[in-house]
């Protein structure tokens, strides 16, 4: 049986699958609404942004770098506005913008444009990245198509028609186009797409890379407090468990009503299988355990340039408690979560969630009488954090500036402010 | 209502094309939804005079946006929208919306179609029309155009499918939200309390009833069949959010019962009642988390608005900016403010949503309210728990408490708008106006006929515009969800839930019902008719066949007489009716019953017997046969009816008896599919006619009697006899000779 017990609720994976079957604008819009409806959130946002920007580069019409930049900026700012409390989106947009600028300046220096373009195609086709699906993207012939000359000429035709000034919405038809430009546009396009693939790889591999540092951070016999372990933290702990014997104290909110298993049951099973003891803890009992704990670990949603963190609510208590007892606080955060900006007012107040986590809507008198503010994010000031464990290795907050400088271009930092309402 | 099916009865839906099960499975991955954008109610009047209900702003977002977004968030692909009133407005709105327009590339739906039904009077007509179109290929979601919900239906859909795979007759899943047993604002606001009898192990819905605070008896009768389920729960703590997961079979059911109008009171109740006949199983999916509610009336509107502001509906909250161009941000004071809002220093906004371009002058205090776009709020204004729609102007020093102020309203300086006021579009209030608080004002610039109302200077002041809008309270031309139930509609039509001023004392109503209701039927005074009719209606609706008598403990004569007669009619051992007749006359003397009471008792008894014969337990006779059997099985019964029931040759008393029959049928209406009740009435009349108990003048006089067509249900019954009456009127010459022959035949039978 089971005739596609297909879940109908739209997801990111579903969207990525649908990229090729629907127009670009539809994909962008569906992602925006997935973000607005919180159907894509947290770590998925970065991936989603990279995927959609890849589509923007591949599908939208542009004749030069500036047009591409403005396209990416406008799509990026729409995404960022859709989820103002997911700063990761902005980071990925900035990374892509920086990438375009880099590639463009390289291109200008390169002499042999045509050969580069050709080699690009060759270098692209064999590398089937964990990209959504090797379906034909207009400018990127798939291996099967290459064998027939007709198809290639068709795609070449597309290629030219993309560069046709008449089609461009941005420039007037009078813009003089040199013969070499289509080729350079094509080369730039594939280079940028390559670059975005790399960013995607980085995002996908970041957790593993961070986990690679686990044995340095965790010592045998440690008592590690993990506050509401995220996926990143889970992987980190499991990796450490394969090498070390230690004890994990998993702190979380109260036992969720109606849940059949205690929270983080799968994580505990994995850790226990590796011989690591676990202790489950409700967050209000956390203080009692702090003296026993050697280090506190949690994941961040974002790191601001001052070193402050955007985290799941409750982490701040753990960090503060650890700070009082001079226990090291280790924050796991991949580099793509570093934001080249300061936390906004909204961030410091925290995002408000659904009150039903604390008061059931079925509790009539409480619904009437109480005004429940359920903050789902916390802001942790930089002085409470000791180590930022990134995929490039552990850092202190004094070195954050260099990481930011390495990854973002100053002109892209305020990208979303440069454009008004689209 | 479809009239052509007048005599079809239960057979009407048989012609329905067989469902193509193969196709169902194939297209299963495409989720279809049907939005009922009109509910044929007038609870939002006077606002709905100008704007359809689903476009009224709920926290500055048209209600239908919530519904569409809910469907989109559940991955619905095909949407069909049924519009009634203001259909052009809704279509224009959707087509101009960049997000939903079917022409737009960014629409999350692969198709969105409007379906117009020119002569639809109820939701039932919509669904029967949908059945005819056969555009629904598999399971679909049926929602109303006023649903606000953030639930994810995947789990419910999967369960529904599993049940359907296991049993083809599991055709519908009703999604319900539990709100607990303690008093809850959402439960209070809905006015009518739905009562679901559910099997907790399987989720199967066994019985559905409705109660409301104004009915005379605060109890329900359980269908005896419920007990066969082994285990059941009677739940009144459920908010019916109007989200149904249906298979196409549901539409076939609607087609079969062509007089069902309301998805709950008629359809759900009826289908569950007739479970033995149709074998269809309906399930309830009771959710304990997530948010789901329908803005069915102003109180629900109020309640949902508060819930949205308190974020119960996340992600459907203002700062998600789900509408294109909205720029809400959460600011201090738990408020949501769009860009370009100017709140002067000293203005205080808490727990509110304020739309773009609104200016709030100094000293004003706004709390728990939503303010639309481009409003101008003067100095030192106080606005509490109110809903101010776009472009309204509130003058300096005015005070608005728990009211709705619609678009482009101008409220003069220092006006006092007390709790519960409803001020519709374009009304102007002069300065220093104090609106009445008891009852709250309901001011509209238009009358019910959409003409410009004559300005009532005493209400809105010299410079004002608009007049008190009076709700048309008759149940006949408003196909309200409560049909003839005037009372719960009264509860629901105001913004403030209040039982004040309504006659709630059960004693007074039940006194009316027990002693006078039946006797006064013949000459009901206008004042009495509403309440008496009301209570008897409520009783009929809530009483099951078996315990019908117990429902009228005070009415000794009626109960005893009916019981005695029915027993005599049922008796297998003797075929003599004389004993029963004697007993009846004795009762009559003992109770000093009036002619009307006797007539009614006899009518009820025969109708009940005939109705009983229709049921499978007693042979499932055709209506004609059943009527004949009931009247002629016992010797002397016909004579008894003629002498005592009709009580004379006069046309008037014959008409009265026909009327009594009709009313009696209404009483057992819930047992029968209404179509059969109509058919039974026609059959009874025809039998009585051929037995010479009623003459054609009598039947025609009944037909002409306005009481026979009074109310929806009565009208429906009466309609079924049209054929008979027309036949009587047209063919009386030819018939007269045959009639005599028949009469002889019957007489012969009788004397057997």
């Amino acid at each position: 049986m089971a005739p596609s017990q297909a879940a109908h609720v739209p997801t990111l994976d579903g969207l990525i699958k649908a990229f090729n079957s629907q127009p670009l604008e539809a994909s962008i819009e569906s992602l925006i609404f997935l973000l607005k409806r919180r159907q894509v959130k947290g770590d998925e946002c970065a991936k989603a942004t990279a995927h959609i920007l890849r589509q923007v580069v591949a599908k939208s019409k542009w004749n030069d770098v500036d047009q591409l930049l403005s396209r990416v900026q406008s799509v990026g700012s729409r995404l960022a506005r859709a989820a103002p409390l997911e700063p990761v989106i902005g980071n990925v947009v900035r990374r892509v913008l920086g990438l375009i600028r880099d590639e463009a300046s390289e291109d200008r220096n390169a002499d042999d444009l045509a050969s580069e373009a050709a080699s690009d195609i060759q270098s692209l086709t064999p590398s089937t990245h964990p990209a959504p699906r090797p379906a034909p993207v207009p400018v990127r012939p798939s291996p099967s198509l290459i064998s027939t000359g007709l198809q290639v000429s068709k795609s070449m035709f597309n290629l030219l028609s993309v560069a046709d000034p008449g089609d461009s919405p941005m420039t007037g038809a009078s813009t003089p186009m040199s013969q070499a430009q289509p080729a350079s546009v094509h080369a730039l396009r594939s280079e940028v797409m390559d670059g975005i693939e790399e960013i995607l790889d980085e995002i996908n591999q970041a957790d593993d890379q961070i986990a690679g540092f686990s044995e340095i951070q965790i010592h045998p016999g440690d008592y590690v407090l993990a506050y509401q372990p995220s996926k990143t933290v889970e992987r980190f702990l499991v990796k450490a468990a394969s090498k070390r014997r230690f004890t994990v104290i998993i702190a979380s909110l109260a036992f969720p009503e109606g849940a059949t298993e205690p929270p983080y049951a799968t994580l505990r099973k994995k850790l226990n299988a590796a011989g690591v003891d676990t202790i489950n803890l409700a967050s209000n009992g956390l203080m009692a355990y702090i003296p026993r704990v050697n280090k506190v670990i949690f994941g961040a949603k974002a790191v601001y340039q001052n070193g402050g963190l955007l985290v799941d609510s409750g982490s701040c208590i753990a960090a503060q408690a650890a700070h009082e007892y001079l226990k090291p606080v280790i924050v796991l955060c991949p580099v793509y979560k570093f934001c080249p900006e300061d936390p906004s007012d909204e961030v410091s107040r925290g995002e408000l969630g659904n009150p039903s986590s604390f008061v059931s809507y079925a509790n009539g008198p409480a619904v009437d009488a109480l005004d429940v503010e359920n903050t789902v994010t916390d802001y942790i000031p930089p002085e409470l954090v000791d180590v930022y464990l990134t995929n490039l290795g552990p850092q202190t907050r004094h070195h954050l500036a260099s990481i930011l400088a390495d990854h973002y271009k100053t002109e892209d930092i305020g990208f979303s402010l440069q454009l008004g309402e689209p | 209502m479809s009239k052509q099916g007048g005599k079809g009865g239960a057979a009407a839906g048989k012609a329905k094309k067989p469902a193509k099960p193969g196709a169902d499975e194939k297209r299963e991955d495409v989720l279809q939804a049907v939005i009922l954008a009109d509910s044929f109610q007038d609870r939002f009047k006077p606002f709905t005079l100008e704007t359809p209900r689903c476009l009224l702003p709920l926290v500055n977002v048209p209600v239908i946006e919530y519904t569409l977004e809910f469907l989109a968030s559940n991955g619905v692909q095909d949407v069909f929208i049924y519009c009634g009133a203001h259909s052009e407005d809704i279509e224009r709105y959707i087509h101009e919306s960049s997000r939903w327009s079917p022409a737009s590339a960014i629409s999350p739906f692969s198709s969105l179609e409007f379906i117009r039904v020119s002569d639809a009077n109820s939701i039932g007509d919509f669904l029967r029309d949908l059945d005819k179109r056969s555009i629904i290929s598999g399971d679909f979601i049926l929602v109303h155009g006023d649903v606000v919900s953030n639930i994810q239906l995947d789990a419910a859909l999967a369960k529904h499918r599993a049940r359907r795979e296991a049993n083809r007759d599991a055709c519908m899943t009703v999604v319900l939200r539990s709100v607990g047993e303690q008093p809850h604002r959402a439960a209070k606001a809905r006015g009518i309390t739905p009562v679901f009898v559910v099997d907790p192990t399987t989720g199967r819905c066994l019985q559905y009833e409705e109660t409301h605070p104004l009915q005379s008896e605060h109890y329900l009768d359980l269908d005896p069949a419920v007990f066969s389920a082994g285990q059941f729960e009677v739940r009144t703590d459920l908010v019916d959010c109007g989200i149904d997961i249906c298979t196409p079979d549901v539409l076939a059911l609607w087609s079969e019962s062509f007089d069902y109008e309301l998805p709950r009171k008629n359809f759900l109740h009826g289908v569950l009642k007739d479970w033995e006949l149709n074998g269809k199983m309906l399930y309830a999916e009771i959710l304990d988390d997530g948010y789901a509610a329908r803005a069915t009336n102003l109180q629900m509107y109020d309640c949902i608005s508060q819930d949205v502001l308190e974020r119960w509906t996340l992600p459907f909250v203002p700062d998600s900016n789900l509408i294109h161009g909205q720029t809400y941000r959460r600011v201090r004071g738990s408020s949501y403010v769009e860009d370009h809002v100017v709140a002067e220093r000293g203005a205080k906004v808490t727990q509110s949503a304020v739309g773009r371009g609104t200016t709030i002058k100094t000293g004003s205090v706004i709390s728990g309210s939503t303010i639309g776009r481009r409003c101008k709020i003067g100095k030192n204004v106080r606005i509490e728990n109110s809903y101010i729609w776009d472009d309204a102007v509130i003058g300096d020093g005015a005070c608005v408490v728990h009211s709705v102020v619609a678009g482009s309203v101008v409220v003069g300086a220092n006006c006092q708008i007390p709790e519960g006021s409803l001020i519709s579009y374009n009304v102007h209030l002069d300065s220093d106006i104090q609106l009445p608080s008891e009852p709250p004002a309901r001011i509209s610039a238009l009358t019910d006929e959409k003409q410009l109302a004559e300005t009532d200077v005493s209400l809105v002041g010299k410079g004002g515009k608009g007049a008190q809008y009076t709700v048309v309270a008759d149940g006949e031309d408003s196909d309200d969800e409560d049909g003839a139930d005037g009372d719960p509609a009264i509860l629901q039509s105001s913004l403030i839930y209040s039982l004040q001023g309504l006659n709630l004392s059960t004693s007074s109503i039940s006194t009316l019902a027990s002693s006078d209701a039946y006797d006064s039927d013949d000459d009901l005074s206008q004042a009495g008719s509403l309440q008496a009719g009301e209570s008897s209606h409520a009783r009929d609706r809530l009483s099951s066949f078996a315990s019908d008598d117990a429902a009228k403990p005070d009415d000794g004569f009626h109960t005893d007489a009916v019981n005695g007669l029915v027993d005599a009619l049922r008796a297998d051992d003797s075929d003599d009716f004389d004993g029963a007749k004697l007993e009846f006359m004795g009762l009559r003397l003992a109770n000093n019953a009036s002619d009307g009471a006797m007539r009614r008792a006899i009518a009820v008894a025969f109708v009940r017997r005939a109705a009983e014969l229709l049921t499978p337990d007693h042979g499932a006779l055709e209506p004609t046969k059943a009527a004949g059997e009931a009247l002629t099985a016992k010797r002397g019964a016909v004579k008894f009816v003629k002498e005592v029931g009709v009580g004379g040759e006069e046309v008037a008393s014959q008409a009265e008896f026909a009327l009594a029959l009709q009313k009696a049928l209404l009483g057992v209406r819930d047992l029968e599919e209404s179509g059969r009740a109509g058919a039974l009435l026609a059959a009874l009349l025809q039998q009585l006619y051929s037995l010479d108990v009623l003459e054609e003048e009598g039947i025609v006089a009944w037909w002409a009697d306005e009481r026979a067509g009074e109310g929806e249900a009565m009208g429906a019954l009466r309609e079924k006899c049209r054929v008979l009456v027309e036949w009587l009127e047209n063919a009386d010459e030819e018939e007269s000779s045959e009639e005599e022959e028949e009469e002889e035949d019957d007489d012969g039978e009788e004397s057997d």
Side-chain angles (χ1 to χ4, degrees):
Chain A
M1 202 105 324
S4 73
Q5 287 292 356
H8 291 286
V9 171
T11 57
L12 179 59
D13 292 340
L15 176 65
I16 291 172
K17 268 186 200 147
F19 272 160
N20 287 314
S21 58
Q22 62 186 3
L24 175 65
E25 193 54 29
S27 304
I28 296 172
E29 201 70 13
S30 357
L31 178 58
I32 284 177
F33 276 86
L34 284 177
L35 289 169
K36 283 185 174 181
R37 291 193 303 246
R38 272 80 156 173
Q39 283 173 331
V40 168
K41 58 182 177 185
D43 291 352
E44 273 187 318
C45 291
K47 229 180 282 178
T49 313
H51 275 294
I52 202 83
L53 291 181
R54 194 172 164 280
Q55 293 298 308
V56 171
V57 173
K59 283 192 178 170
S60 63
K61 289 175 180 158
W62 46 277
N63 295 320
D64 55 29
V65 178
D66 289 341
Q67 283 176 15
L68 179 60
L69 285 174
S70 77
R71 278 295 287 159
V72 172
Q73 275 171 347
S74 81
V75 172
S77 62
R78 280 166 69 195
L79 294 174
R81 260 202 299 266
L85 286 159
E86 299 283 4
V88 182
I89 296 172
N91 293 347
V92 175
V93 175
R94 289 184 191 105
R95 290 282 292 273
V96 172
L97 288 172
L99 173 80
I100 296 170
R101 287 183 210 280
D102 281 343
E103 296 293 348
S105 65
E106 264 175 41
D107 259 17
R108 273 178 212 123
N109 301 334
D111 295 319
D112 195 357
L113 287 169
S115 71
E116 201 174 287
S119 71
D120 265 322
I121 289 185
Q122 277 150 21
S123 70
L124 262 173
T125 40
S127 69
T128 35
H129 274 296
R133 178 189 279 194
V137 177
V139 285
R140 196 178 164 201
S142 71
S144 65
L145 295 183
I146 279 191
S147 56
T148 61
L150 183 69
Q151 296 289 355
V152 170
S153 70
K154 239 186 190 170
S155 77
M156 290 301 282
F157 175 74
N158 281 345
L159 199 154
L160 286 173
S161 71
V162 165
D164 183 4
D167 279 356
S168 157
M170 301 282 199
T171 55
S174 61
T175 313
M177 299 295 292
S178 77
Q179 203 60 3
Q181 213 146 9
S184 95
V185 162
H186 174 56
L188 182 61
R189 194 190 294 268
S190 47
E191 271 163 22
V192 170
M193 283 169 64
D194 260 358
I196 296 178
E197 288 292 345
E198 275 167 27
I199 294 177
L200 268 172
D201 286 349
E202 184 197 318
I203 293 171
N204 288 329
Q205 292 163 8
D207 284 357
D208 280 335
Q209 287 171 342
I210 291 177
F213 296 104
S214 61
E215 41 185 311
I216 304 169
Q217 296 294 331
I218 293 181
H219 307 293
D222 267 356
Y223 276 75
V224 176
L225 178 84
Y227 191 87
Q228 292 195 8
S230 63
K231 285 273 173 307
T232 314
V233 177
E234 282 190 19
R235 197 166 292 189
F236 181 83
L237 291 173
V238 171
K239 186 79 197 289
S242 66
K243 295 276 170 63
R244 304 262 189 250
R245 289 285 164 274
F246 58 103
T247 306
V248 180
I249 300 168
I250 300 173
S252 60
L253 294 173
F255 195 87
E257 232 175 280
T260 46
E261 282 192 315
Y264 305 110
T266 48
L267 171 64
R268 283 172 54 216
K269 275 175 203 153
K270 273 189 211 164
L271 290 173
N272 291 344
V276 167
D277 294 331
T278 54
I279 299 171
N280 246 26
L281 197 61
S283 59
N284 49 6
L286 189 132
M287 304 301 169
Y289 273 81
I290 286 290
R292 186 74 192 81
V293 162
N294 297 96
K295 51 197 57 156
V296 174
I297 291 184
F298 48 82
K301 283 168 80 82
V303 181
Y304 292 96
Q305 67 178 8
N306 64 352
L309 300 176
L310 180 66
V311 290
D312 288 336
S313 65
S315 307
C316 193
I317 300 174
Q320 227 147 13
H323 189 71
E324 289 301 313
Y325 283 88
L326 298 175
K327 307 287 180 183
V329 173
I330 302 172
V331 176
L332 308 189
C333 48
V335 163
Y336 69 86
K337 289 187 177 175
F338 282 73
C339 303
E341 55 188 9
D342 281 325
S344 65
D345 188 35
E346 261 169 337
V347 168
S348 58
R349 267 182 292 137
E351 185 185 356
L352 276 196
N354 193 326
S356 61
S357 331
F358 293 104
V359 177
S360 163
Y361 188 70
N363 186 348
V367 169
D368 270 342
L370 299 180
D371 199 4
V372 186
E373 284 203 357
N374 168 22
T375 43
V376 294
T377 61
D378 263 356
Y379 172 71
I380 297 186
E383 52 278 13
L384 299 183
V385 183
D386 296 285
V387 179
Y388 299 86
L389 185 55
T390 71
N391 47 337
L392 304 179
Q395 304 281 347
T396 63
R397 73 167 172 278
H398 309 290
H399 293 93
L400 293 183
S402 67
I403 292 186
L404 292 174
D406 285 349
H407 286 87
Y408 304 107
K409 299 209 174 304
T410 36
E411 55 265 50
D412 294 328
I413 285 172
F415 77 96
S416 57
L417 303 175
Q418 290 160 9
L419 291 164
E421 190 84 5
Chain B
M1 229 191 271
S2 54
K3 307 279 201 246
Q4 66 270 38
K7 57 197 173 299
K14 291 285 156 58
K16 162 93 186 84
K17 60 256 146 231
K20 341 115 218 168
D24 289 5
E25 263 90 9
K26 293 293 163 304
R27 293 244 311 156
E28 196 141 85
D29 44 337
V30 174
L31 195 55
Q32 294 180 309
V34 177
I35 300 179
L36 305 168
D38 194 339
S39 50
F40 303 98
Q41 296 174 329
D42 49 9
R43 296 195 189 133
F44 277 90
K45 279 187 178 175
F47 305 115
T48 44
L49 290 177
E50 289 180 53
T51 314
R53 175 158 121 189
C54 58
L55 294 187
L56 295 180
L58 186 102
V59 194
N60 299 339
V61 174
V63 177
I64 199 164
E65 289 277 348
Y66 290 97
T67 310
L68 290 168
E69 201 64 62
F70 163 68
L71 294 177
S73 77
N74 275 295
V76 168
Q77 290 284 303
D78 296 351
V79 176
F80 303 97
I81 303 182
Y82 272 96
C83 303
H86 301 286
S87 59
E88 314 78 36
D89 290 347
I90 302 174
E91 285 181 32
R92 195 180 325 117
Y93 178 82
I94 297 291
H95 283 294
E96 283 172 5
S97 143
S98 62
R99 176 149 165 76
W100 306 116
S101 164
S104 151
I106 61 171
S107 165
F109 305 130
S110 51
S111 81
L112 184 147
E113 272 177 50
F114 284 95
I115 302 176
R116 287 192 190 186
V117 185
S118 51
D119 55 349
N121 290 318
S122 72
I123 288 167
D125 293 346
F126 280 164
L127 293 168
R128 281 183 282 274
D129 175 79
L130 184 64
D131 187 37
K132 275 184 227 137
R133 287 173 196 265
S134 57
I135 41 180
I136 297 295
S137 54
D139 289 350
F140 67 101
I141 302 175
L142 180 65
V143 294
H144 291 268
D146 50 12
V147 166
V148 180
S149 171
N150 62 1
I151 55 176
Q152 303 283 287
L153 290 176
D154 268 356
L157 273 169
K159 276 195 208 166
H160 172 80
R161 275 183 197 140
R163 279 195 291 259
R164 202 204 47 204
E165 299 289 344
N167 184 349
R168 280 251 149 237
D169 286 328
C171 64
M172 179 162 142
T173 303
V174 180
V175 179
L176 304 164
R177 174 70 169 94
S178 131
V179 290
E181 282 157 28
Q182 288 162 295
H184 195 287
R185 62 184 180 205
K188 200 166 74 172
R190 62 199 167 173
I192 294 177
T193 307
V195 182
F196 288 87
V197 182
V198 182
D199 180 344
T201 48
T202 61
R204 207 186 121 205
C205 208
L206 301 168
Q207 193 183 355
Y208 174 79
E209 302 285 349
E210 285 176 356
T211 65
H212 57 83
L214 299 182
Q215 71 195 41
S216 50
E217 291 110 357
H218 295 271
Y219 63 84
L220 291 174
D221 290 302
L222 286 178
D223 189 334
V226 162
F227 293 92
S228 63
Q231 196 183 2
F232 64 89
E233 284 177 351
V234 181
R235 303 198 52 168
T236 57
D237 63 328
L238 303 170
V239 164
D240 185 350
C241 37
I243 303 168
D244 299 341
I245 303 166
C246 308
T247 59
D249 288 1
V250 170
L251 298 176
L253 276 178
W254 275 98
S255 288
E256 273 169 40
S257 6
F258 47 83
D259 55 343
Y260 285 178
E261 294 191 345
L262 309 168
R264 289 291 179 262
K265 203 171 112 185
N266 296 155
F267 180 78
L268 190 59
H269 179 86
V271 170
L272 290 174
K273 202 100 192 166
D274 292 343
W275 177 69
E276 279 164 355
L277 286 179
N278 54 37
K280 297 292 179 199
M281 312 228 258
L282 309 183
Y283 288 84
E285 174 75 19
I286 297 170
L287 301 172
D288 291 319
D289 52 3
Y291 185 88
R294 277 183 66 196
T296 44
N297 55 36
L298 281 162
Q299 291 155 40
M300 276 312 285
Y301 173 88
D302 185 23
C303 171
I304 295 174
S305 299
Q306 296 302 322
D307 290 339
V308 170
L309 288 175
E310 290 175 20
R311 300 179 82 86
W312 293 100
T313 53
L314 195 85
F316 304 112
V317 291
D319 60 343
S320 287
N321 292 317
L322 285 163
I323 295 232
H324 188 76
Q326 272 194 342
T327 53
Y328 280 99
R329 279 174 303 118
R330 200 166 61 86
V331 297
R332 290 189 193 281
S334 303
S335 293
Y336 305 94
V337 172
E338 260 194 294
D339 291 351
H340 310 295
V341 169
V342 182
E344 286 184 2
R345 183 179 310 179
K348 235 180 166 175
V349 182
T350 52
Q351 301 246 325
S352 303
V354 184
R356 175 195 304 243
T358 291
T359 55
I360 303 168
K361 294 250 169 66
T362 181
S364 293
V365 179
I366 297 172
S367 64
S369 306
T370 69
I371 314 280
R373 289 185 164 179
R374 300 173 300 275
C375 292
K376 291 193 169 42
I377 316 274
K379 286 178 198 162
N380 302 319
V381 172
R382 191 160 66 91
I383 299 177
E384 282 174 17
N385 301 328
S386 297
Y387 305 94
I388 317 279
W389 296 351
D390 293 353
D391 300 299
V393 178
I394 313 275
D396 295 349
C399 173
V400 184
V401 182
H402 208 169
S403 300
V404 180
V405 176
S408 308
V409 167
V410 178
V411 175
N414 301 318
C415 282
Q416 301 289 318
I417 301 182
E419 268 195 286
S421 306
L422 307 175
I423 302 175
S424 186
Y425 295 95
N426 301 316
V427 167
H428 290 213
L429 294 184
D430 204 0
S431 301
D432 305 306
I433 296 289
Q434 161 84 48
L435 289 182
S437 59
E438 204 49 57
R442 190 183 287 248
I443 306 173
S444 170
L446 296 182
T447 64
D448 216 14
E449 289 78 40
K450 307 199 177 151
Q451 303 297 314
L452 219 52
E454 201 174 316
T455 294
D456 180 356
V457 180
S458 64
L459 187 67
V460 297
K462 272 199 194 110
K465 196 170 97 180
Q468 175 77 13
Y469 173 83
T470 41
V471 187
V472 187
D474 57 349
E476 276 189 54
D477 62 19
S478 66
D479 274 316
D480 208 56
E481 189 162 297
D482 308 295
D485 273 82
D487 280 355
I490 287 174
L491 273 184
Q492 293 182 326
S493 62
S494 61
L495 179 62
I496 312 289
Y497 179 84
S498 161
L499 297 174
Q500 268 180 359
L502 298 168
N503 188 356
L504 263 191
S505 97
T506 36
S507 60
S508 73
I509 289 185
S510 66
T511 327
L512 254 177
S514 58
S515 60
D516 302 332
Y518 283 87
D519 288 348
S520 58
D521 261 3
D522 301 349
D523 47 0
L524 278 176
S525 68
Q526 202 54 30
S529 76
L530 185 74
Q531 275 183 327
E534 199 51 55
S535 62
S536 68
H537 181 84
R539 170 166 29 232
D540 292 339
R541 191 154 52 76
L542 295 168
S543 304
S544 72
F545 197 117
S547 57
D548 201 16
D549 308 329
K552 301 155 194 156
D554 299 333
D555 203 356
F557 167 71
H558 186 76
T559 317
D560 294 351
V562 170
N563 278 346
L565 288 176
V566 172
D567 285 347
L569 286 169
R570 275 185 197 143
D572 290 324
D573 47 355
S574 107
D575 58 355
D576 199 333
F577 202 73
D578 285 345
K581 184 178 170 184
L582 274 176
E583 194 186 335
F584 181 83
M585 297 317 276
L587 262 175
R588 183 236 161 135
L589 287 173
N591 288 284
N592 194 18
S594 67
D595 286 356
M598 286 201 306
R599 190 173 288 140
R600 193 169 34 260
I602 294 170
V604 168
F606 278 90
V607 160
R608 198 170 286 178
R609 174 64 183 155
E612 201 172 69
L613 289 169
L614 289 181
T615 60
D617 290 354
H618 295 83
L621 297 178
E622 286 304 310
T624 329
K625 283 254 184 65
E629 174 79 15
L631 288 166
T632 56
K634 299 284 177 280
R635 193 159 16 99
V638 173
K639 197 163 165 237
F640 172 74
V641 171
K642 183 167 183 174
E643 284 174 7
V644 186
V646 181
E649 298 288 334
E650 298 92 334
V651 172
S653 42
Q654 291 186 12
E656 283 303 339
F657 186 68
L659 192 65
L661 280 177
Q662 190 188 2
K663 285 195 174 142
L665 270 164
L666 212 58
V668 291
R669 180 179 175 225
D670 281 350
L671 268 172
E672 302 295 325
E673 286 175 56
S674 290
R676 304 191 72 191
L680 188 56
L681 177 61
L684 278 168
L685 289 178
Q686 195 193 352
Q687 282 293 334
L688 288 168
Y689 174 73
S690 40
L691 293 170
D692 203 28
V693 175
L694 296 180
E695 286 158 5
E696 85 200 35
E697 289 89 343
I699 295 176
V700 172
W702 160 76
W703 178 258
D705 195 324
E706 57 181 33
R707 281 172 296 165
E710 214 166 52
E712 239 172 321
M714 291 285 274
L717 279 180
R718 174 175 177 268
E719 210 51 44
K720 302 280 155 43
C721 303
R722 180 182 288 278
V723 181
L724 174 71
V725 173
E726 272 166 9
W727 171 73
L728 283 173
E729 280 173 346
N730 296 338
D732 48 354
E733 263 92 34
E734 300 94 305
E735 292 307 318
S736 54
S737 57
E738 287 172 30
E739 191 194 307
E740 274 160 29
E741 284 167 34
E742 263 179 42
E743 195 182 62
E744 280 161 27
D745 286 350
D746 292 331
D747 286 344
E749 256 175 57
E750 231 177 287
S751 54
D752 278 349

